[in-house]
Amino acid sequence: MGRLTGGDPSLLRRINSAVVLHALRAADSPTLTDLVQVTGLSRPTVEGVIEGLIETGLVAEAPAEEGEARRQGRPARRFRFRTEAGHLLGIEIGPHRVAALLSDLSGRVRDSAQRAVAETAPPEERLERVRAMVADLLRHAGVARSSLRAVGVAGPGIMEADGTVRLGTALPGWTGLPLGGRLRRSFRCPVLVENDANAAVVAEHWQGAATGSDDVVFVLAGLSPGAGSLIGGRLHRGFGGAAGEIGALHLLGREATPETLLSTTGEPLHPLDEGQVAAVFAAARDGDGQAREAVDRFLRRLVHDVAALVLALDPELVVIGGWASGLAGVLGPLRRELARYCLRPPEVVLSRLGPAAIATGALRLALDHVEGELFAVEGTVTGRRR
């Protein structure tokens, strides 16, 4: 952190507070002596910081350990970080549903909820469904809205840093929507907005299939696939937030759209109709010749899209999520074809989080924000460049 000379005493207090809080969260009910040893701060400084944190409600005294209580004399005071002192929300806004995860300040999920929404719903109806879902979730969990410290939100589209959807073709009326601004009216805490595939790759790195890898591509497979990437353990959005929009690659050759490739009737599938897509894959598994040809065409396109990212980024791992993660036969063709196209084929696996990946990534976004405020954690996975 470097040596401080003179300067702002309030800054020094904030740094000391963050150092002590970080040590408290990492330890199991440490004593004052433990905290002095871990932080390197003086005993009077640690005592002052602890008393201040107790007043704010972030720290509480922990009960003495059983062996200590039996000894003669007063046992050493122990302290703990109060993970229940605040709560976080991770919200997914998708074509067919909205979903939310509620956690404490450690990121441990306490409750969840989801609601169906029509793919044709306009933005206000979709956002009203989000508000109603969150209200029901908080009521069910017995959590006051005022205890929310941060809310992460993930959905389709290219997102500006302020939460505005710069381009979003997947949902009606989504382009230009000030999503962050609309939702901030409903919460008295920061609201952070992210692209859905970006949120999903963060989630897989945190709790899913990519926990041991820092160079990862997550493919949100569908008729208009998207991808999120971690490079060196950090989320890569690109200069304007449009990194990973592989669903537009077919435009380079002006080839058939994905919804045409997967059609068995000559009529394009609806881009948001997951039922139609699942039906084609099911027919292919059952031996339908036209469906098999359609699936083969679609998988070749998906392989080309993924290969473009793999050749550019050289990831260690590719994680496949979205509706394709529930369909048999996706991994084999991807692995075979990537081995043909790529100089160093990556490992290819299915998402471990499944449908929960996007909301989980949104929750991680909120947790990163709170950690940055409370613990002065630098270099978080989801931090935006300003």
Side-chain angles (χ1 to χ4, degrees):
M1 192 172 293
R3 181 185 296 270
L4 291 174
T5 57
D8 181 2
S10 66
L11 173 60
L12 184 57
R13 284 194 296 271
R14 289 198 303 272
I15 293 173
N16 289 341
S17 177
V19 169
V20 172
L21 261 181
H22 198 276
L24 270 169
R25 191 179 66 155
D28 183 16
S29 302
T31 64
L32 202 63
T33 300
D34 294 333
L35 292 171
V36 169
Q37 292 175 344
V38 169
T39 64
L41 300 173
S42 70
R43 191 177 187 90
T45 296
V46 174
E47 284 182 316
V49 168
I50 287 290
E51 294 306 319
L53 292 172
I54 289 175
E55 290 180 8
T56 66
L58 288 172
V59 171
E61 280 201 52
E65 294 182 353
E66 186 177 344
E68 289 182 324
R70 290 176 180 174
R71 299 189 194 116
Q72 289 185 343
R74 183 179 177 183
R77 296 172 71 194
R78 291 184 174 275
F79 306 94
R80 68 177 182 87
F81 171 60
R82 296 184 67 242
T83 59
E84 72 275 20
H87 295 86
L88 310 169
L89 272 177
I91 298 173
E92 172 195 352
I93 301 178
H96 302 94
R97 73 166 193 167
V98 294
L101 299 175
L102 175 71
S103 83
D104 60 22
L105 291 182
S106 71
R108 181 176 62 87
V109 174
R110 289 192 48 183
D111 209 344
S112 63
Q114 68 176 33
R115 298 286 186 276
V117 61
E119 63 190 44
T120 56
E124 283 307 321
E125 180 181 337
R126 203 174 296 274
L127 294 183
E128 186 53 41
R129 189 64 55 91
V130 169
R131 296 184 189 103
M133 173 187 64
V134 168
D136 289 345
L137 175 60
L138 295 177
R139 190 181 308 112
H140 182 264
V143 170
R145 187 176 292 263
S146 59
S147 77
L148 293 175
R149 293 295 187 103
V151 175
V153 181
I158 300 171
M159 306 297 183
E160 302 280 7
D162 65 356
T164 299
V165 183
R166 181 152 61 90
L167 179 63
T169 58
L171 302 179
W174 214 237
T175 297
L177 178 72
L179 180 58
R182 293 287 181 86
L183 289 177
R184 287 183 190 105
R185 301 173 190 172
S186 303
F187 302 103
R188 299 176 183 176
C189 64
V191 175
L192 306 107
V193 178
E194 188 55 82
N195 166 267
D196 50 6
N198 286 348
V201 74
V202 168
E204 294 290 342
H205 184 260
W206 180 30
Q207 296 183 344
T211 54
S213 303
D214 283 343
D215 292 275
V216 184
V217 167
F218 178 95
V219 180
L220 194 61
L223 288 184
S224 182
S229 304
L230 295 182
I231 299 176
R234 287 186 61 83
L235 183 62
H236 178 68
R237 295 182 177 91
F239 179 77
E245 293 296 325
I246 57 176
L249 283 175
H250 72 277
L251 298 174
L252 294 177
R254 299 190 179 186
E255 299 172 6
T257 63
E259 50 266 37
T260 300
L261 287 175
L262 199 53
S263 171
T264 59
T265 65
E267 291 294 323
L269 303 183
H270 191 286
L272 300 181
D273 193 334
E274 295 177 2
Q276 282 185 305
V277 172
V280 174
F281 272 79
R285 287 197 302 273
D286 292 339
D288 183 282
Q290 285 186 315
R292 281 183 174 179
E293 290 178 3
V295 169
D296 287 344
R297 289 195 301 267
F298 176 78
L299 288 179
R300 284 197 297 272
R301 172 67 58 77
L302 182 62
V303 167
H304 293 168
D305 292 346
V306 175
L309 273 181
V310 170
L311 287 168
L313 301 180
D314 185 29
E316 176 186 4
L317 181 68
V318 173
V319 181
I320 306 297
W323 58 260
S325 63
L327 299 174
V330 173
L331 291 189
L334 277 174
R335 287 168 176 159
R336 287 194 301 271
E337 293 302 305
L338 287 177
R340 290 178 56 200
Y341 286 105
C342 301
L343 301 177
R344 193 203 60 79
E347 183 181 0
V348 183
V349 299
L350 291 180
S351 164
R352 287 184 189 168
L353 297 175
I358 296 172
T360 301
L363 181 65
R364 180 70 237 191
L365 195 74
L367 181 59
D368 269 359
H369 178 82
V370 169
E371 286 185 340
E373 288 192 331
L374 294 183
F375 310 116
V377 174
E378 297 181 359
T380 57
V381 169
T382 58
R384 279 191 182 273
R385 180 184 63 195
R386 297 293 182 181

